[in-house]
Amino acid sequence: MKTVGQGVCEIRIREDGGAFRVIYVAKFESAIYVLHCFQKKAQKTSREDITLATRRYKDLLKDLAQ
């Protein structure tokens, strides 16, 4: 998901209860970081979900740089 940040990926899950997404980054040695997970309500991922994941990714980069 280049819209969120470099190295960010997503897992897409579909089941009878709906569609779900997990946005994560696994490019760091220390851990796999889940930035956001949510149930999809529409075809397109909402701007709010993308913005939240982006903000969390930027915060993570700041924390790891310290």
Side-chain angles (χ1 to χ4, degrees), residues 6-8 23-28 30-35 52-66:
Q6 186 179 12
V8 176
I23 300 174
Y24 69 98
V25 61
K27 70 176 191 174
F28 304 107
S30 58
I32 295 171
Y33 296 93
V34 175
L35 303 173
L52 179 59
T54 302
R55 188 178 77 237
R56 289 177 176 171
Y57 180 70
K58 288 178 182 178
D59 289 345
L60 172 64
L61 292 178
K62 285 180 192 175
D63 288 346
L64 292 175
Q66 295 179 359

Side-chain angles (χ1 to χ4, degrees), residues 20-57:
F20 301 86
R21 297 289 185 269
V22 179
I23 300 174
Y24 69 98
V25 61
K27 70 176 191 174
F28 304 107
E29 281 187 34
S30 58
I32 295 171
Y33 296 93
V34 175
L35 303 173
H36 188 41
C37 54
F38 56 96
Q39 182 174 8
K40 295 264 307 202
K41 302 287 184 180
Q43 182 87 12
K44 186 176 179 183
T45 302
S46 75
R47 174 57 36 202
E48 293 82 14
D49 289 316
I50 297 295
T51 301
L52 179 59
T54 302
R55 188 178 77 237
R56 289 177 176 171
Y57 180 70

